[in-house]
Amino acid sequence: MSRCDAANSAVARQGKATTTRVIRKWNERLKCGVTSLNADLHCHSVVSDGTLTPEALAARAALHGVQLWALTDHDEVGGQDRAIAAAHAQGMDYLTGAEISVTFAGKTVHIVGLGFDHRNPALVQGLYATRNGRGPRAQEMGTELAKVGIKGAYEGALTYAGNPELVSRTHFARFLVETKVCKDTNEVFKRFLTEGKPGFVPHRWAHLKDAVQWIVEAGGMAVVAHPARYDFTPTEEYALFTEFKSHGGQGVEVVTGSHTTAEYAEYADIAREFGLYASRGSDFHSPDESHTELGTLPTLPAGLTPVWEPLADRVLRTSSH
Ligand code: AMP
Ligand code: MN
Ligand code: MN
Ligand code: MN
């Protein structure tokens, strides 16, 4: 049995690590890049467009058996200190996280950063600049929605935003559900908030190169979030991964709440083709809206190298093991 197999089976037998021997095995297990780890490295709190606090998310993740967690709020690291403390209070290991909005080939692409120094000045400034355009965009969305008879949407969305710097389409969607314009947030996006629909306001987000560099220069790994969601042609997708890699990007989400089972296999192939580390995350936003619960997705396909292998030294370890 190899060193990694032994570490894996020791931890699997004993569950949560408590003794020194198992503690050592646990650390080896992360470094060995064991794919069966219950890692959830993508979710949102009230600091962006989620409905739960970092503490409530941590408790929920732990309840569902998450062993390694990351809070990845949109364009914002304001929840990281609370998430670190909450993860440790729940006995979970933690990687810092954020999901950065980028414009590439005329479409919005999300880049998840993991394991960075969340106080790095260039990263903090870059995220601030990315958030900055959200206020005027939200006001314009309110104006556009008023033209089709929906009044007070900007003010309504603001009442849902836990962070006034982070008004997102999700907050508008919640307002339109509350005021019974639509029956759920999905319907709001379909009818009002996607390209070509009355409340959609085109927006220029960060450059791919900048987002990747903020993350990498802060000591973290950049990961392409939910790649199946972008509706790119094969040529555009190839360009995305090629440019992403050339700027220092190293990871791709393979197992995410936004992918079908067939897409897990498709992006496992992309991870192999481009030599990328594989990530797993629910993209959980809210108990009422999210169809994927924290920590419940299938584990990564065997044969891939998970992001937590090269990031093992960036993991903030809980004191309980
Ligand atoms: P924004 O960053 O303001 O453009 O908002 C993007 C957020 O809207 C995403 O992070 C999702 O949380 C949410 N979203 C995007 N598309 C949909 C959809 N079709 N249904 C529900 N939520 C969506
Ligand atoms: Mn979101
Ligand atoms: Mn996203
Ligand atoms: Mn997300």
Side-chain angles (χ1 to χ4, degrees):
M1 189 185 268
S2 74
R3 190 175 62 87
C4 285
D5 289 343
N8 197 10
S9 59
V11 178
R13 269 199 314 278
Q14 304 217 13
K16 241 187 204 153
T18 45
T19 68
T20 313
R21 195 175 64 80
V22 177
I23 292 167
R24 207 166 48 242
K25 297 287 185 203
W26 179 265
N27 288 351
E28 278 178 25
R29 191 179 192 229
L30 270 183
K31 289 209 164 144
C32 286
V34 170
T35 49
S36 61
L37 193 74
N38 190 346
D40 195 322
L41 305 179
H42 189 152
C43 66
H44 300 271
S45 75
V46 288
V47 173
S48 63
D49 61 349
T51 62
L52 300 183
T53 60
E55 292 78 14
L57 277 172
R60 201 171 174 107
L63 190 70
H64 289 283
V66 172
Q67 296 160 299
L68 174 64
W69 180 51
L71 172 66
T72 56
D73 278 312
H74 295 284
D75 309 322
E76 174 65 281
V77 287
Q80 292 302 304
D81 284 324
R82 286 171 67 184
I84 293 165
H88 291 176
Q90 297 290 343
M92 290 183 295
D93 285 340
Y94 188 78
L95 279 167
T96 54
E99 183 178 20
I100 307 182
S101 313
V102 157
T103 302
F104 181 84
K107 292 203 172 100
T108 300
V109 166
H110 285 169
I111 301 295
V112 162
L114 296 171
F116 47 72
D117 165 13
H118 63 290
R119 295 198 180 85
N120 177 279
L123 172 75
V124 168
Q125 175 57 33
L127 293 179
Y128 175 76
T130 308
R131 283 198 301 279
N132 221 5
R134 284 183 176 271
R137 170 197 191 227
Q139 287 184 17
E140 215 179 312
M141 285 169 69
T143 307
E144 293 304 310
L145 288 168
K147 287 182 189 163
V148 293
I150 300 166
K151 300 217 166 42
Y154 170 67
E155 294 74 13
L158 268 187
T159 67
Y160 283 90
N163 175 356
E165 283 183 19
L166 211 298
V167 192
S168 96
R169 284 184 290 161
T170 315
H171 301 116
F172 280 84
R174 289 184 187 137
F175 174 72
L176 265 64
V177 172
E178 184 205 57
T179 53
K180 301 204 164 31
V181 176
C182 294
K183 69 173 190 325
D184 58 28
T185 52
N186 245 334
E187 185 190 335
V188 182
F189 276 89
K190 274 204 191 107
R191 284 179 52 199
F192 295 103
L193 298 181
T194 40
E195 210 166 335
K197 300 296 158 66
F200 182 79
V201 173
H203 192 71
R204 171 80 230 189
W205 300 106
H207 293 283
L208 178 66
K209 181 181 182 190
D210 291 340
V212 171
Q213 286 181 355
W214 297 332
I215 295 163
V216 171
E217 283 168 18
M221 185 192 291
V223 178
V224 177
H226 44 63
R229 279 249 302 265
Y230 304 128
D231 233 4
F232 280 141
T233 64
T235 310
E236 287 169 332
E237 186 174 73
Y238 187 86
L240 170 66
F241 282 108
T242 305
E243 288 193 32
F244 171 73
K245 269 204 82 161
S246 78
H247 299 315
Q250 290 187 295
V252 58
E253 283 185 349
V254 171
V255 174
T256 126
S258 303
H259 285 179
T260 62
T261 307
E263 287 162 349
Y264 300 158
E266 191 180 325
Y267 288 94
D269 285 344
I270 291 273
R272 289 187 198 98
E273 181 185 345
F274 284 87
L276 296 169
Y277 296 108
S279 194
R280 171 182 188 255
S282 57
D283 207 355
F284 183 86
H285 282 71
S286 154
D288 298 329
E289 296 160 15
S290 295
H291 55 85
T292 306
E293 183 56 77
L294 288 152
T296 62
L297 285 169
T299 52
L300 286 173
L304 297 178
T305 308
V307 293
W308 47 89
E309 183 186 294
L311 288 173
D313 291 330
R314 307 289 308 172
V315 171
L316 302 168
R317 297 266 154 75
T318 172
S319 53
S320 76
H321 64 252

